[in-house]
């Protein structure tokens, strides 16, 4: 009977990017955020590295992140892929 998800979202992302070629952009990041149910819960933090290829059809990214305050059941690293922009 546990709840997954919530009705409120907070997300903050800080990135430091460098354009090393016309279409390649590596970066480091720090993320803070969480999903809350009626305002209860705590923020989670992570940091990592990534690279984006600025393709003609939109950005394609690969990220390797690590939770700062990870729980026992979480993996120490997480690999993600992204197609397109979050905005």
């Amino acid at each position: 009977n546990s709840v997954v998800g919530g009705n409120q979202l907070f997300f903050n992302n800080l990135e430091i990017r460098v354009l090393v070629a016309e279409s390649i952009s590596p970066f480091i990041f720090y993320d803070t955020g969480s999903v809350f149910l009626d305002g209860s819960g705590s923020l989670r933090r992570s940091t990592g590295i990534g690279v984006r290829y600025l393709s003609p059809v939109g950005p394609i990214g690969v990220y390797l992140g690590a939770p700062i305050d990870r729980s026992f059941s979480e993996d120490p690293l997480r690999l993600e892929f992204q197609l397109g922009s979050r905005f």
Side-chain angles (χ1 to χ4, degrees):
N1 293 331
S2 65
V3 176
V4 176
N7 57 7
Q8 299 170 353
L9 166 72
F10 174 80
F11 179 74
N12 187 42
N13 172 256
L14 174 65
E15 290 182 359
I16 298 175
R17 298 183 227 172
V18 178
L19 192 61
V20 296
E22 188 174 310
S23 59
I24 303 291
S25 179
F27 58 92
I28 60 174
F29 66 87
Y30 174 81
D31 293 341
T32 302
S34 192
V35 175
F36 304 99
L37 182 61
D38 298 323
S40 61
S42 61
L43 293 176
R44 301 295 310 275
R45 302 172 297 149
S46 66
T47 188
I49 59 173
V51 65
R52 279 193 196 96
Y53 169 62
L54 307 174
S55 78
V57 296
I60 300 169
V62 178
Y63 313 94
L64 182 63
I68 293 173
D69 45 5
R70 76 180 177 101
S71 67
F72 179 73
S73 63
E74 289 179 303
D75 290 329
L77 294 174
R78 183 170 177 168
L79 182 66
E80 293 187 8
F81 299 93
Q82 180 180 10
L83 300 173
S85 179
R86 288 186 264 196
F87 305 116

